[in-house]
Amino acid sequence: MTIDLARNPRFSQVPFYHWYEMSHAAFAPLRAVADATKLYYDNPLNPLSHSAFGKNVSAACELFERTTRRYGKPVFGLETTEIDGIEVPVREKTVWSRPFCNLVHFQRPNPTRRKTSAPEPKLLIVAPMSGHYATLLRGTVETMLPYYDVYVTDWIDARAVPMSEGGFDLDDYIDYLIQIFGHLGKGAHVMAVCQPSVPVLAAAALMDEADHPALPASMVLMGGPIDTRINPTAVNKMAEEKDLEWFETNAVMKVPFPHPGFMRPVYPGFLQLTGFMSMNLDRHLDAHKEFFNHLVEGDGDSADKHTDFYDEYMAVMDLTAEFYLQTVDAVFIRHALPKGEFTYRGHLVDPSAIHRIALMTVEGENDDISGVGQTQAAHRVCTNLPEDMRAHYMQPKVGHYGVFNGSRFRSEIAPRIRDFTATHSERLSAVNAAPAPVAKQPAKAVATAPVKKQPSAGAEQTIAAKTRKSRRKKPALAKARNDLASLLLSKPQGAADDLKKISGLGPKLENTLNQIGIFHFAQIARLSRKAITELDEKLTFKGRIARDKWVEQAKKLTDMPAKDASLG
């Protein structure tokens, strides 16, 4: 389902984001006074700093400042890791970047690995795009670093992305995942924490169906909402009780000035944080009372634990409205994936197509966000996956965050994940040693990288037949036809045109068109009315092709006669 925000401006009447910004600005002088007062009462030269009164005032000022500040994005701060008892340095490097996501590689040497050994297994940790930053998985990354070549999706705060970069919805999320798998290459392992379980499963199904050359060896889904009809939690029940219009009216707002994403429709981070904290309000109030007492008593260790946790917990990011609404609708209201109704750019996603990617699901016994059984439901929809490529583990006595962090994750869950991925790395190695099967032509919606294969004699005949068939279809640019499919190409014919020369078509849209199969002005110039309607369905904001007159602009750029570009 595509959420057309341009035609549905109900959210624009909600000014809470502006009020939040104004209140934050209004509190700035008070925070400055609180900081100065704390410094005064913390000064050892001040006799009152040693009194009960001074300690209470200092603690109150710090508590006030911390509860009214805006928390910035934390850092991973992983400078070293230990491999077989040897401490080695860790360096973060962004190796792939898009407007809404950076792929961060945690590079480190392995002093125990021989040069002739096989490459270390790659592990992609897909962080949730549900409010908190990827740094929430710091402990997860730290646990996995000694055993894997680790990569993490570092999602970018939507309020920091200018409107000129275009939108970002659930289909774009899946596009990003497929492109990242292509960057990592065949045989990587993927671990999806909570929310990304659904798009990771969808991406895996699309890639397996299309014989994508960069199929991951295994995927581990952890505490994810595959089927929220099973043991619904308070979050799931709320989504069922409200319709999509309610969420659009009450939860979507426009980013205020002076943020780079000014006027972008988003689900604000402060609303998400309010929801998180309201689920366990008593626990958070008690934690802050204890923090105050620790400060008064001078218990620095306990106070530091509190600040370390809440510095991470209180740092939240905005989500694009289209991604948020599409996720709420598809995952929590319609339950599209388990019902077999989940679509990606108009293409029905079929989880039963997964038969070469091993699947492990992990749940927590006390999970109050994704109920027990919701993640395990992935096994029921992946009907063609062999039993020896499946595993499920339910960890006793842990909640949602304990599934991917904490002592039980390190001692009980992570070793099981390592064993599962090691098993299927060996399986993949055995498959690679066997004669390679002939790859089918990948689906147009899925981006693939060129891969050279040595087909058998029989396969050569099949490929030759497909080639002859494709050559008969190639003159699509020589004669306009009504449907979009007749204009699409698997790759550019020569050098791709700079589609950004068309007014209203930016880098984001150019990338989207390239993924669909449009690389040249001539293709756009020959769009018929039917093809425009089909292409509109694949774009975030409908009506842009006609509104910005893409076809007319493309004709001028190609100097195409009007009769050759007539609309059907």
Side-chain angles (χ1 to χ4, degrees), residues 33-349:
V33 171
D35 278 338
T37 304
K38 183 180 183 304
L39 288 172
Y40 176 76
Y41 282 99
D42 282 348
N43 191 330
L45 298 178
N46 181 358
L48 290 176
S49 66
H50 305 288
S51 67
F53 173 77
K55 292 177 180 178
N56 275 271
V57 171
S58 175
C61 289
E62 181 166 353
L63 186 62
F64 173 80
E65 192 279 329
R66 290 190 61 81
T67 53
T68 58
R69 76 162 66 159
R70 173 179 288 153
Y71 288 78
K73 180 183 177 182
V75 297
F76 279 99
L78 300 175
E79 297 179 354
T80 62
T81 189
E82 190 174 288
I83 300 177
D84 292 338
I86 303 174
E87 188 176 87
V88 297
V90 176
R91 185 168 72 96
E92 292 180 37
K93 182 180 180 182
T94 299
V95 295
W96 179 94
S97 183
R98 294 295 183 273
F100 291 89
C101 181
N102 292 322
L103 182 65
V104 178
H105 182 201
F106 290 84
Q107 299 176 334
R108 86 287 188 275
N110 187 344
T112 64
R113 178 176 168 270
R114 297 178 180 177
K115 292 183 179 180
T116 56
S117 302
E120 289 185 288
K122 293 179 180 179
L123 176 65
L124 170 64
I125 300 178
V126 184
M129 193 179 188
S130 55
H132 286 110
Y133 291 96
T135 50
L136 187 69
L137 305 184
R138 184 184 296 102
T140 315
V141 175
E142 187 175 21
T143 301
M144 295 303 188
L145 258 179
Y147 308 97
Y148 298 93
D149 189 15
V150 177
Y151 298 77
V152 176
T153 56
D154 188 11
W155 302 105
I156 297 173
D157 190 343
R159 69 170 170 254
V161 183
M163 284 286 287
S164 59
E165 294 290 354
F168 180 85
D169 59 16
L170 192 55
D171 290 338
D172 294 314
Y173 193 117
I174 295 172
D175 282 338
Y176 277 25
L177 291 176
I178 294 172
Q179 292 172 31
I180 289 171
F181 285 128
H183 176 84
L184 296 179
K186 184 177 182 179
H189 304 278
V190 57
M191 194 164 77
V193 178
C194 189
Q195 168 269 327
S197 294
V198 171
V200 165
L201 186 64
L206 291 165
M207 293 174 72
D208 212 340
E209 179 183 20
D211 285 345
H212 196 287
L215 284 180
S218 72
M219 57 179 165
V220 181
L221 310 182
M222 309 180 71
I226 300 297
D227 190 349
T228 59
R229 297 172 298 178
I230 302 170
N231 293 323
T233 62
V235 176
N236 306 147
K237 291 176 181 177
M238 177 185 175
E240 290 178 353
E241 292 167 359
K242 311 292 184 182
D243 58 16
L244 193 63
E245 181 178 338
W246 184 93
F247 288 97
E248 188 173 353
T249 304
N250 294 279
V252 174
M253 306 169 194
K254 287 188 176 181
V255 175
F257 183 81
H259 296 290
F262 175 54
M263 295 302 290
R264 178 181 292 282
V266 297
Y267 175 40
F270 71 87
L271 273 188
Q272 299 169 68
L273 182 61
T274 302
F276 293 149
M277 299 193 74
S278 64
M279 292 177 63
N280 297 287
L281 187 58
D282 292 343
R283 187 185 305 172
H284 291 295
L285 290 174
D286 290 341
H288 282 78
K289 289 177 184 176
E290 292 174 3
F291 175 61
F292 178 86
N293 292 331
H294 294 321
L295 291 173
V296 172
E297 295 165 2
D299 186 355
D301 289 342
S302 298
D304 287 344
K305 290 179 181 178
H306 174 96
T307 57
D308 288 345
F309 173 79
Y310 279 98
D311 282 352
E312 189 74 56
Y313 189 80
M314 302 284 277
V316 289
M317 54 184 280
D318 294 353
L319 308 181
T320 61
E322 56 270 26
F323 170 79
Y324 169 70
L325 294 173
Q326 193 175 352
T327 300
V328 168
D329 177 64
V331 178
F332 296 99
I333 295 179
R334 293 191 295 113
H335 313 289
L337 189 63
K339 287 182 176 179
E341 300 170 358
F342 191 94
T343 59
Y344 160 79
R345 304 203 181 282
H347 177 78
L348 189 66
V349 175

Side-chain angles (χ1 to χ4, degrees), residues 363-368 370-372 394-400 403:
E363 296 180 332
E365 181 183 25
N366 302 324
D367 195 331
D368 58 354
S370 296
V372 173
M394 197 273 287
Q395 176 62 48
K397 300 180 181 179
V398 300
H400 186 70
V403 170

Side-chain angles (χ1 to χ4, degrees), residues 500-513:
K500 297 189 294 297
K501 289 182 179 179
I502 295 178
S503 177
L505 202 161
K508 169 69 178 176
L509 279 172
E510 182 182 44
N511 184 52
T512 300
L513 292 175

